[in-house]
mmCIF file with all atom_site columns, all heavy atoms in Angstrom:
data_model
loop_
_atom_site.group_PDB
_atom_site.id
_atom_site.type_symbol
_atom_site.label_atom_id
_atom_site.label_alt_id
_atom_site.label_comp_id
_atom_site.label_asym_id
_atom_site.label_entity_id
_atom_site.label_seq_id
_atom_site.pdbx_PDB_ins_code
_atom_site.Cartn_x
_atom_site.Cartn_y
_atom_site.Cartn_z
_atom_site.occupancy
_atom_site.B_iso_or_equiv
_atom_site.pdbx_formal_charge
_atom_site.auth_seq_id
_atom_site.auth_comp_id
_atom_site.auth_asym_id
_atom_site.auth_atom_id
_atom_site.pdbx_PDB_model_num
ATOM 1  N N   . PRO A 1 95  ? 2.151   11.461 -19.640 1.00 61.00 ? 293 PRO A N   1
ATOM 2  C CA  . PRO A 1 95  ? 0.945   12.232 -19.327 1.00 61.00 ? 293 PRO A CA  1
ATOM 3  C C   . PRO A 1 95  ? -0.304  11.404 -19.604 1.00 61.00 ? 293 PRO A C   1
ATOM 4  O O   . PRO A 1 95  ? -0.330  10.595 -20.525 1.00 61.00 ? 293 PRO A O   1
ATOM 5  C CB  . PRO A 1 95  ? 1.023   13.434 -20.266 1.00 61.00 ? 293 PRO A CB  1
ATOM 6  C CG  . PRO A 1 95  ? 2.050   13.093 -21.280 1.00 61.00 ? 293 PRO A CG  1
ATOM 7  C CD  . PRO A 1 95  ? 2.911   12.012 -20.732 1.00 61.00 ? 293 PRO A CD  1
ATOM 8  N N   . THR A 1 96  ? -1.311  11.592 -18.754 1.00 58.00 ? 294 THR A N   1
ATOM 9  C CA  . THR A 1 96  ? -2.574  10.890 -18.958 1.00 58.00 ? 294 THR A CA  1
ATOM 10 C C   . THR A 1 96  ? -3.366  11.611 -20.031 1.00 58.00 ? 294 THR A C   1
ATOM 11 O O   . THR A 1 96  ? -3.153  12.810 -20.284 1.00 58.00 ? 294 THR A O   1
ATOM 12 C CB  . THR A 1 96  ? -3.386  10.864 -17.642 1.00 58.00 ? 294 THR A CB  1
ATOM 13 O OG1 . THR A 1 96  ? -3.678  12.194 -17.267 1.00 58.00 ? 294 THR A OG1 1
ATOM 14 C CG2 . THR A 1 96  ? -2.631  10.143 -16.543 1.00 58.00 ? 294 THR A CG2 1
ATOM 15 N N   . PRO A 1 97  ? -4.321  10.955 -20.685 1.00 53.00 ? 295 PRO A N   1
ATOM 16 C CA  . PRO A 1 97  ? -5.127  11.616 -21.716 1.00 53.00 ? 295 PRO A CA  1
ATOM 17 C C   . PRO A 1 97  ? -5.830  12.868 -21.201 1.00 53.00 ? 295 PRO A C   1
ATOM 18 O O   . PRO A 1 97  ? -5.945  13.845 -21.905 1.00 53.00 ? 295 PRO A O   1
ATOM 19 C CB  . PRO A 1 97  ? -6.141  10.542 -22.121 1.00 53.00 ? 295 PRO A CB  1
ATOM 20 C CG  . PRO A 1 97  ? -5.490  9.247  -21.750 1.00 53.00 ? 295 PRO A CG  1
ATOM 21 C CD  . PRO A 1 97  ? -4.639  9.549  -20.557 1.00 53.00 ? 295 PRO A CD  1
ATOM 22 N N   . GLU A 1 98  ? -6.289  12.845 -19.931 1.00 49.00 ? 296 GLU A N   1
ATOM 23 C CA  . GLU A 1 98  ? -6.969  14.016 -19.380 1.00 49.00 ? 296 GLU A CA  1
ATOM 24 C C   . GLU A 1 98  ? -6.037  15.223 -19.324 1.00 49.00 ? 296 GLU A C   1
ATOM 25 O O   . GLU A 1 98  ? -6.429  16.333 -19.570 1.00 49.00 ? 296 GLU A O   1
ATOM 26 C CB  . GLU A 1 98  ? -7.491  13.732 -17.966 1.00 49.00 ? 296 GLU A CB  1
ATOM 27 C CG  . GLU A 1 98  ? -8.589  12.690 -17.892 1.00 49.00 ? 296 GLU A CG  1
ATOM 28 C CD  . GLU A 1 98  ? -8.060  11.270 -17.893 1.00 49.00 ? 296 GLU A CD  1
ATOM 29 O OE1 . GLU A 1 98  ? -6.872  11.061 -17.543 1.00 49.00 ? 296 GLU A OE1 1
ATOM 30 O OE2 . GLU A 1 98  ? -8.810  10.356 -18.265 1.00 49.00 ? 296 GLU A OE2 1
ATOM 31 N N   . VAL A 1 99  ? -4.769  14.997 -18.974 1.00 42.00 ? 297 VAL A N   1
ATOM 32 C CA  . VAL A 1 99  ? -3.808  16.093 -18.888 1.00 42.00 ? 297 VAL A CA  1
ATOM 33 C C   . VAL A 1 99  ? -3.481  16.599 -20.288 1.00 42.00 ? 297 VAL A C   1
ATOM 34 O O   . VAL A 1 99  ? -3.362  17.782 -20.524 1.00 42.00 ? 297 VAL A O   1
ATOM 35 C CB  . VAL A 1 99  ? -2.528  15.640 -18.137 1.00 42.00 ? 297 VAL A CB  1
ATOM 36 C CG1 . VAL A 1 99  ? -1.458  16.710 -18.199 1.00 42.00 ? 297 VAL A CG1 1
ATOM 37 C CG2 . VAL A 1 99  ? -2.863  15.319 -16.699 1.00 42.00 ? 297 VAL A CG2 1
ATOM 38 N N   . GLN A 1 100 ? -3.347  15.700 -21.252 1.00 43.00 ? 298 GLN A N   1
ATOM 39 C CA  . GLN A 1 100 ? -3.069  16.113 -22.618 1.00 43.00 ? 298 GLN A CA  1
ATOM 40 C C   . GLN A 1 100 ? -4.205  16.966 -23.162 1.00 43.00 ? 298 GLN A C   1
ATOM 41 O O   . GLN A 1 100 ? -3.996  17.864 -23.954 1.00 43.00 ? 298 GLN A O   1
ATOM 42 C CB  . GLN A 1 100 ? -2.868  14.884 -23.518 1.00 43.00 ? 298 GLN A CB  1
ATOM 43 C CG  . GLN A 1 100 ? -1.584  14.153 -23.238 1.00 43.00 ? 298 GLN A CG  1
ATOM 44 C CD  . GLN A 1 100 ? -1.464  12.870 -24.042 1.00 43.00 ? 298 GLN A CD  1
ATOM 45 O OE1 . GLN A 1 100 ? -2.431  12.395 -24.628 1.00 43.00 ? 298 GLN A OE1 1
ATOM 46 N NE2 . GLN A 1 100 ? -0.266  12.313 -24.066 1.00 43.00 ? 298 GLN A NE2 1
ATOM 47 N N   . ASP A 1 101 ? -5.435  16.684 -22.729 1.00 41.00 ? 299 ASP A N   1
ATOM 48 C CA  . ASP A 1 101 ? -6.586  17.448 -23.188 1.00 41.00 ? 299 ASP A CA  1
ATOM 49 C C   . ASP A 1 101 ? -6.755  18.741 -22.405 1.00 41.00 ? 299 ASP A C   1
ATOM 50 O O   . ASP A 1 101 ? -7.717  19.462 -22.623 1.00 41.00 ? 299 ASP A O   1
ATOM 51 C CB  . ASP A 1 101 ? -7.858  16.612 -23.056 1.00 41.00 ? 299 ASP A CB  1
ATOM 52 C CG  . ASP A 1 101 ? -7.851  15.412 -23.980 1.00 41.00 ? 299 ASP A CG  1
ATOM 53 O OD1 . ASP A 1 101 ? -7.145  15.452 -25.012 1.00 41.00 ? 299 ASP A OD1 1
ATOM 54 O OD2 . ASP A 1 101 ? -8.550  14.448 -23.674 1.00 41.00 ? 299 ASP A OD2 1
ATOM 55 N N   . GLY A 1 102 ? -5.857  19.041 -21.477 1.00 39.00 ? 300 GLY A N   1
ATOM 56 C CA  . GLY A 1 102 ? -5.903  20.292 -20.738 1.00 39.00 ? 300 GLY A CA  1
ATOM 57 C C   . GLY A 1 102 ? -6.729  20.243 -19.470 1.00 39.00 ? 300 GLY A C   1
ATOM 58 O O   . GLY A 1 102 ? -7.060  21.284 -18.927 1.00 39.00 ? 300 GLY A O   1
ATOM 59 N N   . ALA A 1 103 ? -7.077  19.072 -18.980 1.00 37.00 ? 301 ALA A N   1
ATOM 60 C CA  . ALA A 1 103 ? -7.847  18.975 -17.745 1.00 37.00 ? 301 ALA A CA  1
ATOM 61 C C   . ALA A 1 103 ? -6.996  19.460 -16.583 1.00 37.00 ? 301 ALA A C   1
ATOM 62 O O   . ALA A 1 103 ? -5.777  19.362 -16.603 1.00 37.00 ? 301 ALA A O   1
ATOM 63 C CB  . ALA A 1 103 ? -8.303  17.535 -17.501 1.00 37.00 ? 301 ALA A CB  1
ATOM 64 N N   . ALA A 1 104 ? -7.651  19.956 -15.547 1.00 37.00 ? 302 ALA A N   1
ATOM 65 C CA  . ALA A 1 104 ? -6.935  20.535 -14.409 1.00 37.00 ? 302 ALA A CA  1
ATOM 66 C C   . ALA A 1 104 ? -6.455  19.504 -13.407 1.00 37.00 ? 302 ALA A C   1
ATOM 67 O O   . ALA A 1 104 ? -5.752  19.841 -12.471 1.00 37.00 ? 302 ALA A O   1
ATOM 68 C CB  . ALA A 1 104 ? -7.839  21.551 -13.710 1.00 37.00 ? 302 ALA A CB  1
ATOM 69 N N   . GLU A 1 105 ? -6.810  18.238 -13.596 1.00 36.00 ? 303 GLU A N   1
ATOM 70 C CA  . GLU A 1 105 ? -6.407  17.216 -12.626 1.00 36.00 ? 303 GLU A CA  1
ATOM 71 C C   . GLU A 1 105 ? -4.922  16.931 -12.721 1.00 36.00 ? 303 GLU A C   1
ATOM 72 O O   . GLU A 1 105 ? -4.323  17.001 -13.769 1.00 36.00 ? 303 GLU A O   1
ATOM 73 C CB  . GLU A 1 105 ? -7.184  15.928 -12.879 1.00 36.00 ? 303 GLU A CB  1
ATOM 74 C CG  . GLU A 1 105 ? -8.672  16.091 -12.623 1.00 36.00 ? 303 GLU A CG  1
ATOM 75 C CD  . GLU A 1 105 ? -9.391  14.786 -12.822 1.00 36.00 ? 303 GLU A CD  1
ATOM 76 O OE1 . GLU A 1 105 ? -9.040  13.836 -12.115 1.00 36.00 ? 303 GLU A OE1 1
ATOM 77 O OE2 . GLU A 1 105 ? -10.278 14.735 -13.668 1.00 36.00 ? 303 GLU A OE2 1
ATOM 78 N N   . SER A 1 106 ? -4.321  16.597 -11.589 1.00 35.00 ? 304 SER A N   1
ATOM 79 C CA  . SER A 1 106 ? -2.904  16.276 -11.525 1.00 35.00 ? 304 SER A CA  1
ATOM 80 C C   . SER A 1 106 ? -2.647  14.889 -12.077 1.00 35.00 ? 304 SER A C   1
ATOM 81 O O   . SER A 1 106 ? -3.394  13.965 -11.823 1.00 35.00 ? 304 SER A O   1
ATOM 82 C CB  . SER A 1 106 ? -2.432  16.344 -10.070 1.00 35.00 ? 304 SER A CB  1
ATOM 83 O OG  . SER A 1 106 ? -1.156  15.788 -9.948  1.00 35.00 ? 304 SER A OG  1
ATOM 84 N N   . ALA A 1 107 ? -1.565  14.738 -12.847 1.00 33.00 ? 305 ALA A N   1
ATOM 85 C CA  . ALA A 1 107 ? -1.210  13.424 -13.373 1.00 33.00 ? 305 ALA A CA  1
ATOM 86 C C   . ALA A 1 107 ? -0.678  12.529 -12.273 1.00 33.00 ? 305 ALA A C   1
ATOM 87 O O   . ALA A 1 107 ? -0.627  11.321 -12.430 1.00 33.00 ? 305 ALA A O   1
ATOM 88 C CB  . ALA A 1 107 ? -0.157  13.567 -14.471 1.00 33.00 ? 305 ALA A CB  1
ATOM 89 N N   . ALA A 1 108 ? -0.258  13.086 -11.166 1.00 32.00 ? 306 ALA A N   1
ATOM 90 C CA  . ALA A 1 108 ? 0.344   12.292 -10.101 1.00 32.00 ? 306 ALA A CA  1
ATOM 91 C C   . ALA A 1 108 ? -0.648  11.816 -9.058  1.00 32.00 ? 306 ALA A C   1
ATOM 92 O O   . ALA A 1 108 ? -0.294  11.043 -8.195  1.00 32.00 ? 306 ALA A O   1
ATOM 93 C CB  . ALA A 1 108 ? 1.439   13.106 -9.413  1.00 32.00 ? 306 ALA A CB  1
#
Side-chain angles (χ1 to χ4, degrees):
T294 62
E296 294 82 22
V297 173
Q298 289 175 347
D299 294 336
E303 295 183 59
S304 168

